[in-house]
Amino acid sequence: MTHPTHSPLEHPQVSRRAAVQAGAIGLLRLGMNHVAGLQALADQDTRPKARSCIYIFLSGGLAQQDSFDLKPDAPAEYRGEFKPIATSTPGIHICEHLPLLARCSQRWALVRSLTHASNDHSAGHHIMLTGRSDLPRGFNPNQPRPGDWPSLAAIAGTLTRPRNNVPPAVVLPERLIHNTGRIIPGQFAGIMGPQRDPWFIEASDYEPLAYGAYPHYEFDHQDRAYRPHRSQFQVPNLSLPRDLQQARLNSRMSLLQGIDRQRRFLDQMASSTSFDAYRQAAVALLTDHRVRDAFDMARVPGKVQDRYGRNAFGWSLLMARRLVEAGVNLV
């Protein structure tokens, strides 16, 4: 009689899904007749299809040891100075100063595996705003370059389908500018070309010596004497000029369409195509009442404004919510 030989290092290959199913069968006292049903359920994609996304990027925001990973049992030089509190999710503790987030932890997910290898702020901005952990060749932390990777907003604005006649992606409340005046790279279309740059809604005045959009907790890591609070938030004026009523605007658009018909041979030019796209988006912003209402903070009840915060950060979050309700895909 012969017996098959096996290497002592060989082990049966079991997929994670199969292991989970086998564990479920044992724990739940299910029989083998339930395996087919479990397999069918596992193969179904039950994830919701999100229509819009709000990406809140905190430039120089809270460190993880002060917010979601306080490491209370670590040595003093590694743990945060705040105390952890329990959330509604067993085993998850976050900072004591985030009680409302702790209360609704069933509505958010905590990802601890996201990281990158750069200790440079400008490179870190580029990585987090583009989704690429590798820096492009010739990357310059002091200024954007045409060879930079495209930002997530530029990609979404180019590849996602517009809804409700509004731009598919916008960025607010300002461009990211260092206190020295240099523009931080990673915000633009980069290799996709300037015609693919995202729409920037400039609603917050640039204040080079202000740190943070939430004035009550602004801080300056260099502890200088002058500490202004960035409290102004200018809503873009999207109303039509008084001398340009809707009928007159429609007439001008008809004239533009007639000119376009005479310029068909220019339609293939990239500059003409990009100009036409920007013009259509600008007209949509002027004429669509849903977009105008999304920008009009005066229409928001006072209690809602107080809930979000009457400052650049709170207004930005509130405007982002109203823009995705109007049909913008990515804010």
Side-chain angles (χ1 to χ4, degrees), residues 288-302:
D288 196 300
H289 70 88
R290 290 166 296 190
V291 180
R292 293 200 306 273
D293 292 345
F295 285 117
D296 191 357
M297 294 293 105
R299 295 175 176 266
V300 181

Side-chain angles (χ1 to χ4, degrees), residues 74-148:
E77 60 268 25
Y78 296 110
R79 67 173 181 262
E81 61 179 291
F82 305 128
K83 296 179 181 179
I85 58 173
T87 68
S88 299
T89 305
I92 301 296
H93 294 75
I94 63 175
C95 176
E96 60 182 316
H97 298 297
L98 303 174
L100 298 183
L101 278 176
R103 194 178 306 166
C104 63
S105 61
Q106 74 279 6
R107 298 182 179 272
W108 49 264
L110 180 59
V111 180
R112 300 186 186 272
S113 57
L114 178 63
T115 185
H116 61 76
S118 178
N119 196 34
D120 176 78
H121 280 192
S122 291
H125 279 72
H126 188 279
I127 291 170
M128 295 303 299
L129 293 174
T130 64
R132 294 284 298 264
S133 59
D134 58 322
L135 294 176
R137 181 178 300 179
F139 173 74
N140 186 347
N142 296 317
Q143 64 179 359
R145 296 180 65 256
D148 290 345

Side-chain angles (χ1 to χ4, degrees), residues 160-217:
T160 64
R161 181 175 300 177
R163 294 185 291 120
N164 298 339
N165 200 34
V166 297
V170 299
V171 181
L172 59 89
E174 60 192 356
R175 290 176 172 84
L176 292 176
I177 304 177
H178 192 263
N179 65 340
T180 59
R182 64 178 178 85
I183 300 176
I184 296 177
Q187 311 176 64
F188 308 100
I191 60 175
M192 294 173 59
Q195 72 274 15
R196 302 297 187 187
D197 281 344
W199 279 83
F200 286 88
I201 300 174
E202 301 286 349
S204 181
D205 287 340
Y206 171 61
E207 172 51 74
L209 297 182
Y211 276 84
Y214 195 19
H216 297 296
Y217 297 99

Side-chain angles (χ1 to χ4, degrees), residues 5-310:
T5 58
H6 296 279
S7 169
L9 297 179
E10 290 182 358
H11 298 281
Q13 301 296 317
V14 181
S15 67
R16 180 177 180 274
R17 176 177 291 176
V20 171
Q21 290 177 348
I25 292 173
L27 290 173
L28 301 179
R29 297 183 180 180
L30 301 176
M32 292 304 295
N33 58 314
H34 296 94
V35 173
L38 288 172
Q39 181 68 45
L41 182 61
D43 291 337
Q44 293 179 4
D45 187 0
T46 57
R47 293 172 298 179
K49 301 296 188 295
R51 300 181 62 186
S52 300
C53 175
I54 299 175
Y55 180 22
I56 304 171
F57 179 69
L58 303 180
S59 176
L62 284 172
Q64 70 271 18
Q65 71 268 20
D66 293 324
S67 54
F68 295 97
D69 189 13
L70 280 73
K71 298 178 171 45
D73 299 325
E77 60 268 25
Y78 296 110
R79 67 173 181 262
E81 61 179 291
F82 305 128
K83 296 179 181 179
I85 58 173
T87 68
S88 299
T89 305
I92 301 296
H93 294 75
I94 63 175
C95 176
E96 60 182 316
H97 298 297
L98 303 174
L100 298 183
L101 278 176
R103 194 178 306 166
C104 63
S105 61
Q106 74 279 6
R107 298 182 179 272
W108 49 264
L110 180 59
V111 180
R112 300 186 186 272
S113 57
L114 178 63
T115 185
H116 61 76
S118 178
N119 196 34
D120 176 78
H121 280 192
S122 291
H125 279 72
H126 188 279
I127 291 170
M128 295 303 299
L129 293 174
T130 64
R132 294 284 298 264
S133 59
D134 58 322
L135 294 176
R137 181 178 300 179
F139 173 74
N140 186 347
N142 296 317
Q143 64 179 359
R145 296 180 65 256
D148 290 345
W149 302 132
S151 69
L152 298 175
I155 296 173
T158 301
L159 298 182
T160 64
R161 181 175 300 177
R163 294 185 291 120
N164 298 339
N165 200 34
V166 297
V170 299
V171 181
L172 59 89
E174 60 192 356
R175 290 176 172 84
L176 292 176
I177 304 177
H178 192 263
N179 65 340
T180 59
R182 64 178 178 85
I183 300 176
I184 296 177
Q187 311 176 64
F188 308 100
I191 60 175
M192 294 173 59
Q195 72 274 15
R196 302 297 187 187
D197 281 344
W199 279 83
F200 286 88
I201 300 174
E202 301 286 349
S204 181
D205 287 340
Y206 171 61
E207 172 51 74
L209 297 182
Y211 276 84
Y214 195 19
H216 297 296
Y217 297 99
E218 245 177 29
F219 69 95
D220 184 349
H221 65 285
Q222 298 185 31
D223 198 21
R224 288 166 290 195
Y226 177 58
R227 295 177 58 191
H229 283 172
R230 190 186 312 221
S231 57
Q232 292 187 355
F233 194 81
Q234 298 179 348
V235 178
N237 182 16
L238 297 181
S239 60
L240 294 174
R242 293 183 178 180
D243 62 341
L244 186 60
Q245 302 302 322
Q246 186 69 45
R248 190 176 177 187
L249 174 65
N250 292 337
S251 176
R252 289 191 178 186
M253 289 305 301
S254 299
L255 177 61
L256 287 174
Q257 292 172 2
I259 295 175
D260 286 343
R261 284 192 294 269
Q262 301 175 31
R263 294 176 33 178
R264 283 192 297 266
F265 68 96
L266 295 176
D267 288 343
Q268 302 301 318
M269 297 179 59
S271 59
S272 176
T273 303
S274 62
F275 173 76
D276 184 67
Y278 274 92
R279 185 183 63 200
Q280 291 180 12
V283 171
L285 289 174
L286 285 170
T287 57
D288 196 300
H289 70 88
R290 290 166 296 190
V291 180
R292 293 200 306 273
D293 292 345
F295 285 117
D296 191 357
M297 294 293 105
R299 295 175 176 266
V300 181
K303 291 184 178 180
V304 176
Q305 293 193 48
D306 292 337
R307 179 185 175 191
Y308 279 81
R310 295 176 183 262

